[in-house]
Amino acid sequence: MGKRDSTEHRNLNLFLKRSRRSGIRGCLVRCQSGMLTLLQHCGRNLVTVRTLQTVNRTYYSTQMGKRVAVVLAGCGVYDGSEIHEASAVLVHLSRGGATVNMFAPNIEQMHVIDHLKGAPSQEKRNVLVESARLARGNIQDLSKLSVKDHDAVIFPGGFGAAKNLCTWAVQGKDCSVNDEIKAALQAFHSEGKPIGLCCISPVLAAKVLPGCEVTVGIEKDDKYPDTTDTAAAINQLGCKHVSKSVGESHVDEKNKLVTTCAFMCNAPIHEIFDGIGSMVQGVLKLA
């Protein structure tokens, strides 16, 4: 490491120590002011790769200690949690430095879908047992979810959210919500802790939290084939649907809800991934 890099490194460490002592925990998260201050301390007009790497590590370290619960609804898009969405949530939480605990209700699935044939199967499966596939076995019964032990909660989408966590898939806006799911949503909301939802799962908030704002995509757009009807039902519940594209998320500041449409849009998987990233970042910012 050259003399200039060594000086820069010492300046950066001095800056971080001073920031910690003065309690400015979010200084680097506020990008413009934080970066300007960082450059002033580094004595450089341009940021080196080494400095950028240090800034990234510092930004993500500010998220350490964020404890996030992820609630699953089974395993597989047609009768459980959407696997790509659940994985994207976990990747973005990991990248954000959060500690994750996964939960699922210990109940029987509404039904089982043969994902190869796209048709119902006669077998029966348990939501918690199936969710354990996604969680690599590291999952708990939803009844054990403690709000005081977590800073936020996130619900991936998939038909399981509309079949197992509630009955939206068959009853629409007149559906009922699983008691444990309802209790969890109400508890996080009453504690002022953020809730993230994607794909069809925002309907859970629409049923449980009157007057909230959510997105399930863009209305009257062929890329979002189910959004218009779902949005209409959400509005009929007294909530507000906000049209957002697949790469975006909507933040309801009042209710601390962050939602994104994910596979409610016919989009390439990387766009789904980016939208979920926006949602996760929004949740961590509010946590």
Side-chain angles (χ1 to χ4, degrees), residues 186-201:
Q186 291 175 331
F188 275 88
H189 183 258
S190 65
E191 291 292 326
K193 295 183 176 182
I195 300 168
L197 308 106
C198 61
C199 194
I200 192 61
S201 68

Side-chain angles (χ1 to χ4, degrees), residues 189 202-214 233-242 250-257:
H189 183 258
V203 301
L204 296 169
K207 281 293 295 185
V208 176
L209 306 175
C212 68
E213 297 179 359
V214 299
I234 289 170
N235 290 331
Q236 289 169 17
L237 288 170
C239 298
K240 180 181 179 181
H241 179 262
V242 181
H250 176 68
V251 180
D252 178 347
E253 296 281 357
K254 178 181 178 181
N255 292 292
K256 288 196 173 182
L257 292 179

Side-chain angles (χ1 to χ4, degrees), residues 72 90 102 130-139:
L72 301 178
L90 296 175
M102 286 179 273
E130 290 302 297
S131 297
R133 295 174 179 270
L134 274 172
R136 298 171 62 88
N138 187 13
I139 193 167

Side-chain angles (χ1 to χ4, degrees), residues 4 28 33 51 55 74 110-111 113 122 145 159 176 183 186 188-189 216-217 244 251:
R4 185 171 61 180
L28 290 178
S33 61
T51 303
V55 169
M110 187 189 99
H111 62 182
I113 298 294
Q122 296 304 310
L145 173 57
F159 277 94
S176 60
Q186 291 175 331
F188 275 88
H189 183 258
V216 289
K244 291 284 185 176
V251 180

Side-chain angles (χ1 to χ4, degrees), residues 52-126:
L52 283 174
Q53 290 173 340
T54 305
V55 169
N56 284 335
R57 287 196 300 269
T58 305
Y59 169 77
Y60 288 123
S61 71
T62 66
Q63 307 301 334
M64 292 301 289
K66 299 295 177 65
R67 304 158 301 171
V68 182
V70 175
V71 179
L72 301 178
C75 182
V77 57
Y78 298 127
D79 57 13
S81 290
E82 212 293 324
I83 295 172
H84 299 300
E85 291 180 14
S87 296
V89 167
L90 296 175
V91 168
H92 286 294
L93 285 172
S94 175
R95 183 168 288 160
T99 299
V100 176
N101 291 311
M102 286 179 273
F103 299 86
N106 188 7
I107 58 175
E108 189 175 298
Q109 290 185 185
M110 187 189 99
H111 62 182
V112 177
I113 298 294
D114 182 326
H115 280 57
L116 181 60
K117 297 177 180 178
S121 169
Q122 296 304 310
E123 63 184 301
K124 294 183 179 181
R125 296 190 183 185
N126 177 279

Side-chain angles (χ1 to χ4, degrees), residues 152-220:
V153 62
I154 294 180
F155 295 80
F159 277 94
K163 292 179 177 180
N164 303 327
L165 306 189
C166 71
T167 58
W168 186 280
V170 293
Q171 294 179 301
K173 66 181 180 62
D174 297 318
C175 74
S176 60
V177 178
N178 172 276
D179 289 341
E180 290 181 346
I181 295 295
K182 183 177 181 179
L185 286 166
Q186 291 175 331
F188 275 88
H189 183 258
S190 65
E191 291 292 326
K193 295 183 176 182
I195 300 168
L197 308 106
C198 61
C199 194
I200 192 61
S201 68
V203 301
L204 296 169
K207 281 293 295 185
V208 176
L209 306 175
C212 68
E213 297 179 359
V214 299
T215 188
V216 289
I218 298 178
E219 299 174 58
K220 299 179 181 179

